[in-house]
Amino acid sequence: MSVPYIRLFHDMRNIAINGTDIPDGTLELLSRRLPPSWRIAGRGSGGVITLRAPDGSTGRMTVVNRRRMDPRDVLALERLVGRDLSSQLVVAPFLSARARELLRDSGASYADATGNVRIALPKPGLFIEAEGARKDPSREKRPLASLKGPASGRVIRALCDVRPPYGVRRLSEIAQTPPASVSRVIALLQREALVDRDERGGVSAVDWAKLLQRWAQDYQVLSSNEPASFLDPRGVSAFLQRVPTYKRPIAVTGSLAAVRRAPVAPPRMAMAYVEDPAAAAKALALRPADAGANVMLLRPFDPVVFVRTWTEEGVSFAALSQVAADLLSSPGRGPAEGEELIAWMGKHPDAWRA
Amino acid sequence: MPGAPDPLYVNAREVLLEALEALGAHRASLILVGAQAIYFHTGEADIAVAPFTTDADVVIDPTSLADQPVLGEALQASGFVAGQDPGQWFKDEVRVDLMVPETIAGPGRRGVRMGPHGNRAARKARGLEGALVDHETREIASFDGSRRFAIAVAGPAALLVSKLHKLAERAGEAGRTKDKDALDLLRLLRGIDVETLVRAIGRLRSDDRSATVTGEALQYLERLFGRPDSLGSTLAARAAEGLEPADTIQQSCAVLANDLLSAVRPS
């Protein structure tokens, strides 16, 4: 029989890294599920477990203990052992609904650390099935590795725009983000020493300037959002003058916003968030630009870009925290302008921070 | 951020006001044209160049010009010095050009024969005819506000026509085209909406004095600015170098020129 090397390796991985002992916690959980007067009689060598019925008869199952047992691993197990797994007890920290379904189909017994248990012993006859967790609890606990996503963006914007202290619940309201996601973001920021937490888990201090710089490492204005380039043949200022006539949500960002506060050069490129760039371009009399674009419309990574905006001369500008992150992650002189803006924000916290 | 006006521009405005003061009695026969008139309408028109010009261009309508005081004498009395060519007057290194639209300038090669005013006070120029038709009285003041005069200022369409004639006339002559003239044209196209230009161009075309030069100017517009790589578009981009990307300027020229051309063409 020829087995592709990759497949063989995949199968071997599961065997190699796992033992045959049932972890104590799972064993105890299993024994509690047994009917009264059934016992776990022994854990023999070679990963065999023996169950004893009230009448003294015993049945044996081979333990397959895995750190992970994904649905595809069940299929791999079948290839190793055979389609009939009725003499196998699969043990893992967590078994997904799909993995359990596949195990059931092949007659296997199983037990995970969350309480998903199935014992189907033909002789002496025993059948137990119990439900544990539907979601892998370790997945929830796995630390957040990046600040790319919309939830991170909303939480970071809230941490910058609103002064602490606040608890997770309050922050979750400000950021319009579930508390679990807020906690994960805060945990990452705490690891990176960008926020301080009090003894009750709330946020007591935020280094917002460093936080914006850290955000801009993962968030990129031109790739996190969806940009489209246009030409306003009358120039960037003319575009800005037309913005108040646009009746859908719009938030001007980039140097056109920064120049209102910080000493940055006159902008050559207008940047604005709109829900639908094509429709907005039409309404704002912009031309499609193959070359010479001077207006960039961005479909936002999240509606948070329209939150806590400020208005001057009828023009709605993105919050300065958003503008700063957009500049820091822009090409060309954007990062330098972002630094200028952050310096201004540092000197005038009352002008932008609630 | 736009700062204080360029000192050269301030000085040019001062000299223009001095000329207007000197020509006080004839002020009703004068129409401001050229770059100073353009900036009057457009401000900066979003090109991040401080608008400055060191010359002042003034059209004389000889049909309403009184015999006294004599133009040259009045200017000389105020410290202006006649230049080499007819119509050139200098003060503080600023040049004031007095010009008469060719169509109504009568015979003569360059200078205009203006009776008691002589042949050298003003010069003939083609393309300025629109100023006689399209102008309005505005108040022009020095930057410090110390002096102000009411004077007719040529309308945007008339200025567009005259700039196009100037560019076209010089397009064939190496070294005489000025990038700034092309950028001034873009200022007009950017700063004035199409409907306003179309209405005024209609008036210029229906007036015998300006109909021909206006038709010519629209041909020049297509030839000089109709494409991003046309001569005028590239000159404008060069004038805005370092302030706006060349591609943006060139594309803007072509888009706006074609917008206007398709709006004025009979459909």
Side-chain angles (χ1 to χ4, degrees), chain A residues 26 91 135 137 182 233 250 273 282 295 308 310:
Chain A
T26 308
V91 177
K135 281 187 179 167
V182 171
I250 186 164
Y273 289 105
K282 211 171 164 193
V295 177
R308 297 185 289 278
W310 45 286

Side-chain angles (χ1 to χ4, degrees), chain A residues 25 37 40 73 81 83 88 97 100 138-139 147 149 157 180 182 187 210 219 221 248 259 284 294 337:
Chain A
S37 64
I40 295 173
D73 298 323
V81 178
R83 291 298 305 273
Q88 310 288 316
R100 281 179 273 137
S138 70
R139 188 174 285 270
L147 298 171
R157 282 284 316 279
V182 171
K210 293 260 166 39
Y219 163 89
V221 64
R248 304 282 310 154
V259 77
L284 289 163
N294 58 359
E337 293 182 346

Side-chain angles (χ1 to χ4, degrees), chain A residues 231-234 287, chain B residues 160 164 167 182 185-194 197-198 201 217-234 236 248-265:
Chain A
L231 174 73
D232 189 324
R234 292 178 188 270
R287 318 299 171 98
Chain B
L160 188 89
L164 283 165
L167 279 161
L185 193 99
L186 178 59
R187 281 183 209 280
L188 280 170
L189 290 175
R190 274 188 167 181
I192 313 296
D193 62 66
V194 174
L197 287 175
V198 169
I201 287 173
L218 292 172
Q219 289 173 21
Y220 299 151
L221 180 63
E222 181 160 22
R223 195 169 82 207
L224 294 170
F225 293 92
R227 294 162 43 101
D229 58 357
S230 302
L231 177 65
S233 308
T234 54
T248 301
I249 293 285
Q250 291 177 241
Q251 298 284 341
S252 300
C253 285
V255 166
L256 294 172
N258 287 302
D259 280 359
L260 180 59
L261 286 166
S262 51
V264 296
R265 273 190 194 115

Side-chain angles (χ1 to χ4, degrees), chain B residues 5-6 9-11 13-14 17 36 141-147:
Chain B
D6 190 293
Y9 186 38
V10 172
N11 190 39
R13 173 69 60 85
E14 279 304 317
L17 289 166
Q36 296 220 37
S142 56
F143 284 100
D144 62 8
S146 62
R147 256 193 298 199

Side-chain angles (χ1 to χ4, degrees), chain A residues 44-45 48-51 58-62 86-88 121-124:
Chain A
S45 60
V48 172
I49 187 170
T50 305
L51 298 174
T58 56
R60 288 147 62 95
M61 287 188 294
T62 305
S86 60
S87 61
Q88 310 288 316
L121 194 65
K123 231 172 94 183

Side-chain angles (χ1 to χ4, degrees), chain B:
Chain B
M1 291 263 84
D6 190 293
L8 289 171
Y9 186 38
V10 172
N11 190 39
R13 173 69 60 85
E14 279 304 317
V15 174
L16 170 65
L17 289 166
E18 281 166 25
L20 294 179
E21 194 165 27
L23 298 172
H26 298 301
R27 223 175 285 148
S29 301
L30 307 180
I31 306 161
L32 183 65
V33 293
Q36 296 220 37
I38 289 177
Y39 305 150
F40 213 80
H41 292 292
T42 65
E44 286 198 35
D46 194 34
I47 296 163
V49 188
F52 76 89
T53 176
T54 52
D55 55 7
D57 298 338
V58 178
V59 160
I60 295 178
D61 181 356
T63 60
S64 65
L65 192 69
D67 286 349
Q68 293 294 329
V70 174
L71 288 170
E73 288 171 7
L75 285 168
Q76 277 161 346
S78 292
F80 283 88
V81 177
Q84 224 172 8
D85 293 335
Q88 286 182 347
W89 298 93
F90 286 90
K91 185 171 183 180
D92 295 342
E93 296 178 0
V94 174
R95 194 169 103 188
V96 176
D97 283 299
L98 298 185
M99 292 173 289
V100 175
E102 191 185 74
T103 314
I104 60 164
R109 208 167 59 84
R110 301 192 65 191
V112 186
R113 294 172 194 168
M114 290 199 296
H117 301 289
N119 300 346
R120 293 193 58 84
R123 173 173 85 252
K124 279 186 187 183
R126 188 166 179 78
L128 292 169
E129 287 76 1
L132 304 169
V133 180
D134 173 28
H135 59 251
E136 57 180 285
T137 303
R138 305 282 280 264
E139 192 166 75
I140 187 158
S142 56
F143 284 100
D144 62 8
S146 62
R147 256 193 298 199
R148 51 187 70 233
F149 297 110
I151 185 179
V153 176
L159 293 165
L160 188 89
V161 168
S162 69
K163 263 299 169 202
L164 283 165
H165 272 271
K166 189 172 175 189
L167 279 161
E169 182 189 313
R170 294 181 171 189
E173 303 170 39
R176 284 198 72 210
T177 48
K178 287 197 180 145
D179 300 350
K180 195 179 73 63
D181 286 326
L183 190 57
D184 283 344
L185 193 99
L186 178 59
R187 281 183 209 280
L188 280 170
L189 290 175
R190 274 188 167 181
I192 313 296
D193 62 66
V194 174
E195 295 73 28
T196 303
L197 287 175
V198 169
R199 275 196 307 273
I201 287 173
R203 286 197 301 275
L204 297 183
R205 281 168 140 180
S206 60
D207 192 296
D208 286 344
R209 291 171 291 177
S210 52
T212 307
V213 293
T214 302
E216 289 165 354
L218 292 172
Q219 289 173 21
Y220 299 151
L221 180 63
E222 181 160 22
R223 195 169 82 207
L224 294 170
F225 293 92
R227 294 162 43 101
D229 58 357
S230 302
L231 177 65
S233 308
T234 54
L235 293 179
R238 207 161 67 187
E241 196 182 338
L243 299 152
E244 254 187 81
D247 275 349
T248 301
I249 293 285
Q250 291 177 241
Q251 298 284 341
S252 300
C253 285
V255 166
L256 294 172
N258 287 302
D259 280 359
L260 180 59
L261 286 166
S262 51
V264 296
R265 273 190 194 115
S267 50

